[in-house]
Amino acid sequence: MIGLYRPGTSLLHRMSPGSKLLALILAILGTVIFARTPLEVAAVAVLVAALFAVARIPAKVALAQLRPVLWMLLIIGVFQVIITTWQRAVVVCGVLVISVALAALVTLTTRVTDMLDTVTRALGPVRRFGVDPDRIGLLLALAIRCIPLLASIVQEVSQARKARGLQWSMTALATPVLVRALRTADAMGDALVARGVDDDDHE
């Protein structure tokens, strides 16, 4: 599942979170700027696959990171083919897949607490502008946790929809997902307030 750390002793696991985040940004920017043909995108994809192998991430786990974006890739690919060419469609979708895979590789090889500590320290200077890095870290932690949580809700609702014979009804999917997501958000908000995490202490 997306966002879950996979323990290991590989080189990528031993790298500092800051180094991995910087490398992630540079790798994505480099791919966007320099990968202009399907062949170049394929070469970068092979390198990314090699990185997963170095980190000893099973192929099944690696592919699971890409599953949530498949529908978006299909829509983008069709749109690109219509307005441009199939080569451009391959490049755009390939760059997107590579970016998602690289981001997933970072989360799979980095403890969430270590990543958040790194981000919080990096944002230390913004305290002088009234920004609380700890709250930004908390926001990131909640976002990371909510990705697999929301995916689980969608999967459960989808299975229930199929069991009722409504697999082709978008309303039967969207409405329960929205209701459950809002209820979950309310519960998380109440839990945070109960632990004193609100805005009152900053007034």
Side-chain angles (χ1 to χ4, degrees), residues 31-191:
T31 302
V32 171
I33 294 172
F34 297 109
R36 298 297 184 89
T37 67
L39 184 59
E40 292 170 346
V41 170
V44 176
V46 171
L47 291 176
V48 173
L51 290 176
F52 274 90
V54 169
R56 298 184 179 89
I57 302 298
K60 181 179 180 179
V61 175
L63 293 175
Q65 311 307 305
L66 304 177
R67 192 174 299 122
V69 299
L70 291 181
W71 283 107
M72 182 170 61
L73 287 174
L74 178 60
I75 295 173
I76 293 175
V78 171
F79 181 73
Q80 287 292 324
V81 169
I82 293 175
I83 66 172
T84 58
T85 63
W86 69 265
Q87 292 93 337
R88 181 58 183 169
V90 170
V91 170
V92 171
C93 293
V95 169
L96 179 58
V97 169
I98 289 170
S99 300
V100 172
L102 287 172
L105 182 60
V106 171
T107 61
L108 288 169
T109 59
T110 311
R111 290 184 176 86
V112 174
T113 52
D114 294 338
M115 189 182 303
L116 295 178
D117 288 343
T118 299
V119 172
T120 301
R121 287 196 301 271
L123 293 175
V126 303
R127 289 184 186 274
R128 68 184 66 181
F129 302 107
V131 179
D132 187 352
D134 293 329
R135 285 183 176 264
I136 296 178
L138 176 61
L139 177 63
L140 291 174
L142 290 174
I144 293 172
R145 176 65 187 95
C146 285
I147 291 174
L149 182 61
L150 184 58
S152 176
I153 290 175
V154 172
Q155 183 178 9
E156 291 175 5
V157 172
S158 179
Q159 291 175 349
R161 180 184 62 165
K162 291 179 181 178
R164 297 196 303 269
L166 300 173
Q167 60 266 32
W168 301 110
S169 173
M170 290 304 299
T171 302
L173 175 66
T175 301
V177 167
L178 180 60
V179 171
R180 290 188 58 178
L182 291 174
R183 287 178 177 174
T184 302
D186 287 339
M188 293 178 66
D190 291 342

